[in-house]
Amino acid sequence: MAARRPLMRLVAAVVVTAAAAGALTACGGTGDRAAPPPASASPGAPGGSSPSANQDPARFAPQVVKYAGRAKIDAQLLMAILYNESYKPHDPALERAWQRMKPDSAFGIANMHKAAFDDTKQGRDFANRSWDELPDDPGLAVEAAAWFLHDLAAQLPGQPSGPYTRNELLALGYNAGAGNMGAFARGAKPGPQAQSYLDRLRANWAKAGQAVKR
């Protein structure tokens, strides 16, 4: 019986991981996957839902302010995106267990996919860092997300014709990719998943602002 215990514990761990991973299913935007790829493709979640205290992105406010300043993007936007991406527990062991079952899953507190990270790090001071370090290094995750938004901003048209603000377009680009962001800037309507992401951004906007002003 004693020899069976390690196997039983392994089975139990897999069951727990699979159950916890239900929130980690990826989604697309409106179907356009133009380069660079989206950093995140997170599923919709109830708007304005609050993470638990030990998952509250506000604890990363110093890193958000620091790297948003370096990348010349709005710190409130970056923090709101971290709130959007806090729909799942960012535990390194859980993220790696899920990634073994779903290799294209995202890593880190900003839910960044490998292709997006590898594209963003080129020529930056974290160019020698690896995507698989993201679960263990929140600072790296915030820095990469900030520069990804910086790169998206460079692709925005000078005079967007759609109804969305610059920050809203960047958030949509973060979730759905640069190609979709450009379409939204020209007046295209987001699909349900991208709209859910935008709704959550708006619901999280005020508390994100409070977090970076503390």
Side-chain angles (χ1 to χ4, degrees):
M1 181 67 178
R4 295 178 59 190
R5 287 176 182 169
L7 177 59
M8 293 171 66
R9 285 196 294 269
L10 177 60
V11 171
V14 171
V15 170
V16 169
T17 299
L24 308 186
T25 53
C27 75
T30 60
D32 186 342
R33 292 294 178 182
S40 157
S42 59
S49 58
S50 298
S52 61
N54 64 348
Q55 291 289 326
D56 191 343
R59 69 192 191 279
F60 301 119
Q63 294 99 315
V64 167
V65 172
K66 173 182 176 180
Y67 291 118
R70 289 185 181 180
K72 294 181 171 54
I73 54 107
D74 188 344
Q76 188 170 1
L77 168 64
L78 181 54
M79 179 59 76
I81 285 175
L82 293 189
Y83 272 109
N84 269 32
E85 301 297 342
S86 65
Y87 66 92
K88 72 179 186 182
H90 291 294
D91 174 79
L94 177 60
E95 287 190 24
R96 290 193 168 92
W98 178 243
Q99 194 268 341
R100 286 193 290 271
M101 294 186 289
K102 187 175 176 59
D104 64 344
S105 59
F107 266 174
I109 60 170
N111 284 338
M112 183 166 278
H113 289 281
K114 186 176 188 302
F117 178 82
D118 288 345
D119 184 77
T120 302
K121 74 178 185 177
Q122 300 302 315
R124 304 260 155 74
D125 63 5
F126 56 100
N128 64 341
R129 304 293 298 274
S130 173
W131 170 76
D132 59 14
E133 297 178 65
L134 291 177
D136 305 297
D137 192 339
L140 176 62
V142 173
E143 183 177 17
W147 284 106
F148 185 85
L149 289 167
H150 171 275
D151 293 346
L152 284 174
Q155 300 174 68
L156 279 174
Q159 297 292 331
S161 57
Y164 308 107
T165 68
R166 180 177 184 273
N167 281 333
E168 288 174 343
L169 287 169
L170 292 176
L172 287 167
Y174 190 89
N175 178 247
N180 284 321
M181 179 187 71
F184 303 145
R186 294 188 297 272
K189 183 178 179 180
Q193 293 162 333
Q195 184 62 53
S196 174
Y197 198 84
L198 180 59
D199 292 342
R200 290 163 58 203
L201 183 89
R202 290 167 174 168
N204 288 324
W205 192 254
K207 64 182 176 183
Q210 290 299 316
V212 296
K213 292 174 184 175
R214 291 176 184 172

